[in-house]
Amino acid sequence: MDQVVASYFPIIVFLAIAVGLAMVMIFLPMLVARNEPDNEKNSPYECGFDAFGDARGKFDVRFYLVAILFIIFDLEVAFLFPWAVSLGEIGKAGFWSMMGFLFVLTIGFIYEWKKGALEWE
């Protein structure tokens, strides 16, 4: 058991340093920074006109559908890279299991396309 704990010790030290450094980066500016915005800082930025309305406005549901489709196909690519690297070792079973995965994703993509989720009017 001590050998298992000793093998995880560098990971625990790394996580402790990462969490400690993140806390310092979050809370130190709150303590040190001045909160005195001037007129230039409060003026409109880049767009050139004053803000109109609330920034938390409603979005069309199609925006969310496109975002979900992007996430799905982004994850598909994330699964394809390790599969392609280890293709020589996994053999025909690994190849056909990935073809099944791609087939299911393709059916989902065709369904979304037929439903009009990709149409932006």
Side-chain angles (χ1 to χ4, degrees):
M1 185 66 175
D2 290 336
Q3 187 178 14
V4 173
V5 173
S7 65
Y8 282 103
F9 183 72
I11 296 172
I12 294 170
V13 169
F14 176 75
L15 287 174
I17 291 172
V19 168
L21 189 58
M23 292 297 137
V24 167
M25 288 183 187
I26 289 172
F27 292 114
L28 187 64
M30 290 180 188
L31 298 173
V32 177
R34 294 181 304 148
N35 191 9
E36 300 172 7
D38 56 359
N39 289 336
E40 191 67 32
K41 189 172 230 180
N42 287 331
S43 66
Y45 179 71
E46 284 190 7
C47 60
F49 54 87
D50 291 326
F52 57 93
D54 191 14
R56 293 178 294 271
K58 293 183 179 180
F59 285 99
D60 191 0
V61 71
R62 289 176 289 192
F63 171 78
Y64 296 109
L65 289 175
V66 171
I68 289 171
L69 285 173
F70 171 76
I71 290 171
I72 289 171
F73 290 106
D74 188 45
L75 287 174
E76 174 189 356
V77 171
F79 284 133
L80 281 174
F81 279 128
W83 171 77
V85 169
S86 64
L87 186 57
E89 300 168 10
I90 59 176
K92 288 183 180 182
F95 175 78
W96 288 112
S97 64
M98 183 55 79
M99 290 301 114
F101 174 70
L102 292 175
F103 177 74
V104 168
L105 282 176
T106 304
I107 295 299
F109 179 70
I110 291 170
Y111 174 77
E112 291 289 333
W113 195 346
K114 295 290 183 185
K115 285 291 185 181
L118 301 176
E119 300 289 329
W120 199 268
E121 299 170 357

